[in-house]
Amino acid sequence: MSKIIRPGAAYFLFGIFTLVYVALTLWAPTDTDILTRYDLTSSEARNLRLTVTLPYIVIWFFAIFGFVRLKTYSHLIRKSSHGKSLSTIANGLFVLAVGLPLRAIGNRLVSLAEDLQPHLAATSTIIVNYIDIIAGLVAVGLIYTGSQRLMKTTTKSNNKTAPPYLVMIVLALIGTSYTYLTFTNPVRQFPAAEGGHAAYYLPDFLLLFTVVLPYLIIWYMGLHAAYFIRIYRKSVQGIIYKKALAYLAAGIVFVVLSRVAMRYMASLNTIVEAWTLQYLLAIIYCLLIFIAIGYGLIAKGAEKLKKIEEV
Amino acid sequence: MIKANSLYQDVLAVTTDYLGPAARRFVDRQIDSHLSKAPEELTKSDLKTLAAWSRVSMALLTNDKQIVNNYVNRLMSLANNGTT
């Protein structure tokens, strides 16, 4: 197994993240803006956070489980070109999986920093945002590289490597609207009021080149990787192999698209703020379920492919 | 030896239609485990045994009996007339 990521270490890391996140959920104070906006007491807000915490932890488990299954399968066929490509994709999925708890823990730490040391709010927000971006770039970079190599293992795939025009148009629409929403966000650099919270605490030129542009790159590479996997699945031979691969391919597409959706949702925060709490929670739960479905499909697909190597 | 290699390649070609990139590893495993020989030593007289064991293995991979039967029949046809 790879010296970089071992399944046992992945589960151990998951355990640490869970403990830290639960501790912060119970201990960190709630943003006073949120308490006022949704008319909640501190204990009500904490209980509500716990209802989101538990699904988060289940999602993280699914993510780590999906990665472990795929990594185990890729190790089984490590001497083949497919094995190396799938191992690279698995590493990318691991980084995406780790990014979930890191972001969640980061948000809790930002709340804590704002409460204990208000002058650290800007620094902590910037750090959390950049960790998310760097993790996203590394993750999609690995998934893109692995899926491109996987696609090239089939001779039929060599002609078509550019996504269809429709995909590019959708990507352009998402990117344009995301850029517009980010730069029309009135609290992107400074909080609306004393004690409030800004989204980025960055001047516009830094926001453009270090946040918006990287996210556009992440989405482009993520959707392109999903397209490569689709091409590979269509080109590869083997009736039984293709059926097993379908789960894996669908899972990777689900995971990539749900992460795009989550980031896009975050850019809607000025619109989202006006939504009722129930509606907001419903959207969050839907996205979490999508992520869980994605990693679950990855695990199922990897298990089916692994079985082919064992019988 | 050349005939055996050719037969092995034919078996591989048939199996690839079902298992794609995993075909070679599957066939090599079946020959090694159940015939106790190297792939290049495969002969027509081995095909009946290979087909029988491959049926068992394939049945573990799919619930579709038609696919399994189709695969086994194609392997057996290699023993009868050398074509699939």
Side-chain angles (χ1 to χ4, degrees), chain A residues 17-40:
Chain A
F17 282 146
T18 302
L19 286 172
V20 170
Y21 186 60
V22 170
L24 285 172
T25 299
L26 293 172
W27 185 39
T30 307
D31 190 334
T32 47
D33 274 353
I34 293 174
L35 292 177
T36 311
R37 193 183 314 142
Y38 298 112
D39 192 28
L40 298 168

Side-chain angles (χ1 to χ4, degrees), chain B residues 18-30:
Chain B
Y18 300 88
L19 297 180
R24 182 179 294 273
R25 293 186 293 273
F26 177 84
V27 171
D28 289 356
R29 207 160 49 242
Q30 304 305 310

